[in-house]
Amino acid sequence: MPGVAELAGEEVREALRLLGRRDVPSNRAAAQRVLREHLRASGSVRATLDQAPDGARDAFLTLAQHGAVTVESLLGRGWWGRGALPPPLDWLQRRGLVLVGTDGLLYPSDEAREGFLELTLDLAPSQPTTAPARVEPAQSVVIAESSADLDRAVAVPGAALRVVAPTVAVSERSPTAVLAALRAAGVETADDLTVPASSREPALPVAPEEAVGPRAVREVLARAVAESRQVRLQYFASSRGGAPTSRVVDPWRFADDLVVGYCHLRGGERTFAVDRIGRARLLPSMIEHTAPPD
């Protein structure tokens, strides 16, 4: 896979500036070395992805887990193959996290993928196989359908998960705390199994209800505000052609087809338009953040 060595000197220096580095060498070789060290540093890539715009983080996760793909497969629209990548991939490109190969495919840079996976999968290749057994505390066990699904869960900082098998991870945090962290990061769990939302026959409060289509979405959002319950939104931030994100929201107000509330994915107040919501899920959990005073 391509890496930092493929970048021009100014591209490397721009990446370092955008990553918040103040010590940006003017020499290309020295700048490349600093960028490599930054991307490989423990937690650096994950911290950068926490600030990524809508769709950028999911795109990098796809590349890190599955390798090279076309831009069209990530965004659902074409790209002419020259110049800067279309948003939100350009955000990743300018920071040296992704590169375009000579074959026209999009790759994660070697250094960014290495730094991300080393932390995410808790790899320790240098440990001898004959190391003595260790006993460590665990309050929660997460079992995934596939290793790719587990990777997404382990990448959530608040869950504090540690991989112990290809599809199993454990955490010292309580099941309630782990579940809340996974939901806030948009990772779906078995507890999220839903029934169709219906205005005529609402489900019991303990059963998540899912709505698809503007009319059903409006009904679910209105109920979420009235009942002070969280919702999970599949949201297209730019347009229907963009990559959707899954996020848990504490809804405060809903009027004029706009819902205002606390977005757990972005960690602050956000406004969401109904026409950009693919589906809305009314969760049994109550809101955790109340609206700030006017």
Side-chain angles (χ1 to χ4, degrees), residues 113-257:
R113 186 174 187 272
E114 179 182 335
F116 177 78
L117 291 182
E118 181 177 3
L119 178 65
T120 302
L121 300 180
D122 196 19
L123 300 177
S126 61
Q127 292 184 353
T129 56
T130 57
R134 294 181 301 174
V135 177
E136 298 184 2
Q139 290 192 27
S140 304
V141 178
V142 172
I143 303 174
E145 291 292 327
S146 67
S147 58
D149 291 336
L150 188 67
D151 289 349
R152 288 185 58 83
V154 173
V156 177
L161 289 166
R162 183 174 70 256
V163 173
V164 296
T167 59
V168 181
V170 298
S171 173
E172 295 182 20
R173 303 196 67 192
S174 69
T176 301
V178 172
L179 183 61
L182 295 178
R183 280 179 170 171
V187 178
E188 296 194 12
T189 68
D191 290 345
D192 289 335
L193 296 176
T194 59
V195 297
S198 170
S199 59
R200 295 186 298 274
E201 298 180 5
L204 294 174
V206 294
E209 297 176 70
E210 188 163 85
V212 179
R215 177 178 297 178
V217 166
R218 291 186 186 100
E219 293 177 355
V220 160
L221 293 177
R223 284 180 55 200
V225 171
E227 300 171 16
S228 296
R229 289 166 62 181
Q230 292 181 331
V231 289
R232 181 190 293 279
L233 304 180
Q234 180 194 50
Y235 195 68
F236 297 79
S238 56
S239 68
R240 287 289 172 172
T245 57
S246 176
R247 57 185 77 202
V248 172
V249 175
D250 292 355
W252 298 332
R253 299 181 300 276
F254 178 54
D256 300 324
D257 274 359

Side-chain angles (χ1 to χ4, degrees), residues 5-20:
E6 308 292 329
L7 299 176
E10 184 51 42
E11 291 175 324
V12 176
R13 288 187 284 274
E14 181 190 22
L16 287 171
R17 288 192 291 268
L18 292 174
L19 290 170

